[in-house]
Amino acid sequence: MLKIAVDAMGGDFAPEVNILGAYEAALDNEIEIILVGNKDKISEFLSEKKELKGRISIHHTDDYILMDENISTAIRRRNTSMRKAVELVREGKADAVLSAGNSAAMMALSFLLLGKLSNVDRPAIATVMPCLKGHFILLDAGANVDCKAEHLLQFAFMGDAYHKALFNSKSPKIALLSIGEEGSKGNEATKEAFKMLQNTSLNFIGNIEGKDIFFGSADVVVCDGFVGNIVLKVGEGLAEALMKMLKREITDLITGRLGYMMIKPAVKSFRKKVDYSEYGGALLLGINGTSLICHGRSSAKAIKNAIRVATEMAKKEIYRRISESLKSTEDIDESKSSINGLLCS
């Protein structure tokens, strides 16, 4: 039985939503969940859940990291719920960890305590986003503000492995996010990464513009964390704004209520497709373990689904797949050599 460590004290609505999400996940899955945090507060919500005895346990700690806390200070504290949850994976007492708390701290602690994979210079945050054809994976979604060409190349390999594991795909289409479809468009890192990706075994389809990513032209969209985080936040905000605009337009019409009843199933389906809680969290790729970073405003549903994804990725050992993907090809070494040659020439 797989064990998932949950930072019970992380997030805007902790610990309630984390505990409820864990409870619902434990009902649906043959897993064991370790809630890390204040035992008294957690026990208040679990006291009547006797049917889950042995499926949910508590790892007590008094301290926790605040959402807006200084990262360098936060990661030094030894007894926070987030740190203890990550340590459970490092010690082999849990197979995966997730937190809706301070995302920068979660990324830093996962990197420091679990370590990065060989052939990976920088871990990346991979998030699943909706599009016209279903979903695509965007990375990096905020871990690395400034990236070199070889980092983008590594992100492409990691995204390829993640898409295959998550969606059981055979040859996902990989694209670089840029300001034009031509390989000559973009900044220096993007243009150099374009050349590198052309010489790999990946199903690289070239550059993709921002206006095309939500049409499903690519299965994996690669960019630096600065651009990726903007895309992520714009996408979330746009989806929410569209729902509100649609509701306002309908209520302004005399026949709005009747019309809404007719399109209600379609609206419900659309809301589900653009709801970030369907996948719960963003996987941190490139580290030696399974770690998910959840939205600070995560609901119980989001936590439940994040636990589901964490369980699936731990079962498939996604970090090993990524490691093997990078080891089994000479593309990385060849690309680094070409960069070194350019720098020396």
Side-chain angles (χ1 to χ4, degrees), residues 42-152:
I42 297 173
S43 297
E44 287 179 18
F45 295 91
L46 289 178
S47 58
E48 299 179 0
K49 315 297 184 184
K50 296 179 181 178
E51 68 272 27
L52 291 178
K53 187 176 181 180
R55 297 277 298 280
I56 294 182
S57 60
I58 302 173
H59 185 96
H60 175 72
T61 179
D62 289 318
D63 198 10
Y64 63 94
I65 296 174
L66 299 174
M67 295 296 286
D68 58 351
E69 192 170 344
N70 179 273
I71 306 306
S72 60
T73 302
I75 62 176
R76 289 195 185 99
R77 300 211 309 276
R78 300 286 178 175
N79 202 39
T80 63
S81 57
M82 186 183 291
R83 185 184 185 98
K84 290 298 182 182
V86 178
E87 284 180 349
L88 289 175
V89 176
R90 185 183 65 177
E91 295 166 0
K93 297 177 181 178
D95 300 287
V97 59
L98 62 93
S99 175
N102 188 309
S103 58
M106 182 59 176
M107 183 183 69
L109 286 170
S110 297
F111 176 78
L112 290 172
L113 299 177
L114 301 180
K116 64 182 179 65
L117 297 172
S118 58
N119 291 326
V120 172
D121 293 324
R122 295 184 183 181
I125 297 175
T127 186
V128 179
M129 299 189 70
C131 65
L132 199 59
K133 295 181 180 179
H135 293 87
F136 70 94
I137 292 173
L138 174 75
L139 77 164
D140 179 20
N144 306 282
V145 175
D146 297 305
C147 292
K148 297 179 180 179
E150 60 263 40
H151 300 148
L152 298 177

Side-chain angles (χ1 to χ4, degrees), residues 215-234:
F215 285 92
S217 303
D219 299 309
V220 177
V221 177
V222 177
C223 58
D224 64 47
F226 181 82
V227 172
N229 194 259
I230 292 174
V231 171
L232 175 63
K233 298 296 174 59
V234 168

